[in-house]
Amino acid sequence: MKKRLLLFITCITALAVNAQMTFTLNGLTYANCAESNHLDGSTTITVPAGTSLNGLITAVQIDGQTVNASQIKPNPITTNITPGELEVFVYNNKAYGFRFEEDIWFCAVIISDCHTNQGNDHDGTSASDLTTIMNNICNMGKDGKKKVSFTTEGATSLVPKTSIVFCLGDIDQDKGDDGSTGTHSNFLNATAEVCKMAGVPFIFIAGNHDFSPDYWGSSNSDRGVTSGNSGGANADKQTISAITTNNTYWNNEGIFDENISYFTSGSSYSFEPNHFTFKFKDVRFYCANNYWFQKPHGAPGLLSAATYYAPDPIISKLNTFVESHTDDASVWMQHYPWLAGSDCNRWWLDQNSGGYYIPASNSSSYGSSTSGIAYNDATSANTLKKDPLSAIMMKAAGRTGGKVQHFSGHYHRFYDATYTSTVNSTNQVHDYTVAANGNTDQSNNAYVVLFKRGEGVKEVIQTKF
C-alpha cells in the first residue's frame, strides 16, 4: 500500500496529456462505454451495468499502437481494479490515470414553478436566467467537480452528472407566455431547447397555471376553462401540445428503455390531462399533469361553460398498468404536493381560494361529483383521493424504507414529508416538494436525485444552479 501511495504521489502531477493510453476491453468496445476526461489529466471509463471489472483489460495501446502490457507498471491486465478508485499506470516514465466504474448510478435534476417572465409576485424567473440555470444543470460534473456529494454506499466518489431533467409544472404565466398566446415559447426556448443541444432528456408536466383549474381566481365566476384565444381552453390545448410534442421528440431520440405512453379516459373529450409513464435506465417514472385526479373536460361554447368528467377511467387504467408492472422500480411526480402548504387539501379537491369547484357531470368514486365538500377538507381529500392513490402506488417496486418516492412542486418552497394513509398505515408516500427557481428566500432551488438502476431513488439533495 505504501509503495502504491508513493507511486501515486510521484505520478499524479505528471499524468500524460499528450500521449493517449487506451485499452482493449473484454467483450466491450469503447462504443459500449462512456469516457470522460478530468482536469487532473485522468480519465473515467464507465462500463455497462453488470460488467465485471476483473479481467476487463485484455490489451493496451499507446496512441493506437499495441504495447506489451508487462512493460507498464502496474500491469493493467493483471491489476485488480477497484470501482471508482484512481489507477495510475506508468509507461516510458509517463503516468496515465484511470477510474473504472459501472453504470449503475444516474442523476436527475428536478425543478418546478419557473413562472417564466411572470414576475416577483409569483417567484418568477426571467427567460435569460432560466437559460443560464438550464445550461448549468446540463453541464453539471463535466468539469470533473462535484456539485453535490452523496453519502450512499458505493456512490461516495461519484461525480454527479445530469442524466435527465424534470420540471414539475407552472412553467410560465397563466394561459401562456403573455397571458393570451399560450405558446410557452419563452419557457421552451430556455429549457427544452437547451437540453436538446446538450443531449440531456427533459421532461415537464403541467401545473395549475398551465392546464386550467376549475377556477382561475377566488370568485364563483372566473372559470378556468373559457373560450377564445385568451381563454383557458386555448391554454389547455397549447400546454398539452407542448408536453406531447416534447415527449415525442425524446421518444424519437431512442433514449428510453420504454417510450412514453399515456393514461387517458378513452373517451372523445376535448381535453385530456394526458398523464404518462416511461422507463429510463431500468426505473419507471409516473408523471401526472397537475395531479392524477385532474378531470378531463369538453370544450366550452361561446355561451356555455365546459363540461367536466370524472377521472375514474384514468385511475382505473393507472391501477391496471401498475398491477402489471409491479416489478418496476417506480418514481412518481405530479404538480400538487401531498402535504406542503396550509391549503394543500383544497388543491386535491379542485377548490379555488373561495372554495368553489365544478362537479363532474357523471358519477365518481373520487368525490368529483359530490357537492358540499367543505373548504380545504382534509378528511375528504384523504379518503377520496390520497388514500386510493397511495394504495395504487404501493403496488410497485422501488420503495425506500417502505415509502413510495414522490416529487412535487406548486408550494414554491422546499418541503420534505411523508403522507401516511388513513386506511392502511403501511401505505406511505415520501413527497419531496421542490422550491421555485425564483424563490429568493431559500438558497437551494433544485433537487439532485441519485438513482440506482433497477432500484430507484437512493438520495435526494437540495442545491442551486
Side-chain angles (χ1 to χ4, degrees):
M1 180 65 185
K2 290 183 178 179
K3 184 177 180 181
R4 175 68 178 273
L5 182 61
L6 179 61
L7 177 64
F8 170 80
I9 293 172
T10 56
C11 294
I12 189 62
T13 57
L15 291 176
V17 292
N18 295 323
Q20 184 179 18
M21 177 180 286
T22 56
F23 306 105
T24 300
L25 304 178
N26 186 18
L28 298 174
T29 65
Y30 271 85
N32 301 121
C33 305
E35 184 180 80
S36 55
N37 298 312
H38 304 290
L39 295 177
D40 64 3
S42 66
T43 300
T44 293
I45 297 176
T46 304
V47 298
T51 301
S52 174
L53 299 182
N54 294 324
L56 176 66
I57 300 172
T58 59
V60 185
Q61 300 83 36
I62 301 293
D63 290 337
Q65 300 298 314
T66 300
V67 299
N68 188 339
S70 64
Q71 297 177 3
I72 302 172
K73 304 299 180 184
N75 187 332
I77 294 177
T78 59
T79 296
N80 291 324
I81 297 172
T82 301
E85 184 174 304
L86 180 66
E87 309 285 349
V88 179
F89 302 116
V90 180
Y91 178 74
N92 282 349
N93 295 321
K94 291 183 179 179
Y96 303 83
F98 291 89
R99 289 180 177 86
F100 295 84
E101 43 187 51
E102 279 190 82
D103 187 20
I104 60 175
W105 307 103
F106 69 97
C107 293
V109 176
I110 301 178
I111 62 174
S112 188
D113 296 83
C114 301
H115 290 279
T116 314
N117 288 349
Q118 194 160 357
N120 294 333
D121 59 327
H122 281 85
D123 294 322
T125 307
S126 70
S128 59
D129 285 348
L130 186 56
T131 300
T132 299
I133 291 169
M134 292 303 296
N135 273 306
N136 291 340
I137 289 172
C138 290
N139 288 318
M140 180 176 70
K142 291 183 178 180
D143 58 359
K145 298 178 181 178
K146 290 185 178 183
K147 177 70 174 176
V148 298
S149 293
F150 296 118
T151 61
T152 301
E153 184 178 358
T156 55
S157 63
L158 185 71
V159 177
K161 298 180 179 64
T162 304
S163 294
I164 190 167
V165 183
F166 293 91
C167 179
L168 304 186
D170 283 2
I171 58 180
D172 45 36
Q173 302 183 56
D174 288 342
K175 308 176 188 176
D177 282 342
D178 62 4
S180 62
T181 61
T183 57
H184 307 299
S185 57
N186 289 325
F187 168 80
L188 292 171
N189 288 336
T191 56
E193 294 304 316
V194 171
C195 287
K196 288 177 184 178
M197 291 293 293
V200 176
F202 174 66
I203 300 297
F204 68 98
I205 60 176
N208 58 293
H209 284 255
D210 314 310
F211 192 84
S212 298
D214 290 6
Y215 292 91
W216 287 107
S218 61
S219 71
N220 193 20
S221 60
D222 187 16
R223 292 183 176 230
V225 182
T226 51
S227 61
N229 290 335
S230 61
N234 186 63
D236 290 351
K237 179 173 66 176
Q238 295 287 357
T239 294
I240 295 301
S241 175
I243 290 170
T244 55
T245 298
N246 180 72
N247 288 350
T248 298
Y249 174 88
W250 292 110
N251 275 350
N252 291 339
E253 289 296 290
I255 59 172
F256 300 133
D257 304 348
E258 179 185 301
N259 274 353
I260 295 170
S261 59
Y262 298 90
F263 299 100
T264 62
S265 67
S267 301
S268 57
Y269 305 142
S270 300
F271 300 99
E272 291 275 3
N274 277 39
H275 313 311
F276 56 92
T277 183
F278 64 99
K279 199 171 185 181
F280 179 65
K281 294 184 181 292
D282 205 21
V283 174
R284 178 166 297 284
F285 293 86
Y286 290 96
C287 304
N289 288 304
N290 267 19
Y291 77 137
W292 288 100
F293 296 96
Q294 185 79 32
K295 292 173 288 188
H297 51 272
L302 290 176
L303 300 176
S304 61
T307 302
Y308 282 74
Y309 300 91
D312 297 44
I314 299 174
I315 303 302
S316 178
K317 288 183 178 180
L318 172 67
N319 182 52
T320 299
F321 185 92
V322 173
E323 288 181 337
S324 64
H325 293 81
T326 54
D327 291 336
D328 290 350
S330 68
V331 180
W332 296 72
M333 299 177 182
Q334 67 175 34
H335 181 64
Y336 289 147
W338 285 72
L339 294 166
S342 60
D343 55 355
C344 173
N345 292 305
R346 75 170 177 84
W347 308 329
W348 284 76
L349 296 172
D350 303 314
Q351 297 173 336
N352 67 358
S353 55
Y356 299 109
Y357 73 103
I358 304 173
S361 61
N362 52 345
S363 62
S364 175
S365 299
Y366 305 108
S368 297
S369 60
T370 303
S371 61
I373 293 179
Y375 176 74
N376 199 23
D377 184 346
T379 299
S380 294
N382 294 346
T383 58
L384 292 171
K385 299 189 176 180
K386 294 182 184 180
D387 289 346
L389 181 57
S390 66
I392 293 173
M393 296 162 71
M394 285 292 294
K395 296 177 182 180
R399 296 184 292 276
T400 301
K403 302 174 182 178
V404 174
Q405 301 297 290
H406 188 278
F407 294 87
S408 61
H410 189 71
Y411 183 47
H412 289 209
R413 303 293 185 269
F414 283 109
Y415 200 83
D416 179 354
T418 296
Y419 176 78
T420 300
S421 169
T422 61
V423 177
N424 185 342
S425 61
T426 62
N427 292 354
Q428 296 185 321
V429 179
H430 190 166
D431 185 33
Y432 297 91
T433 303
V434 62
N437 301 122
N439 170 18
T440 56
D441 293 337
Q442 295 185 328
S443 60
N444 304 313
N445 296 345
Y447 282 129
V448 176
V449 184
L450 174 69
F451 290 86
K452 190 173 184 180
R453 284 179 179 266
E455 295 186 17
V457 174
K458 291 299 177 182
E459 195 166 346
V460 181
I461 297 179
Q462 299 176 15
T463 192
K464 187 178 181 68
F465 287 92

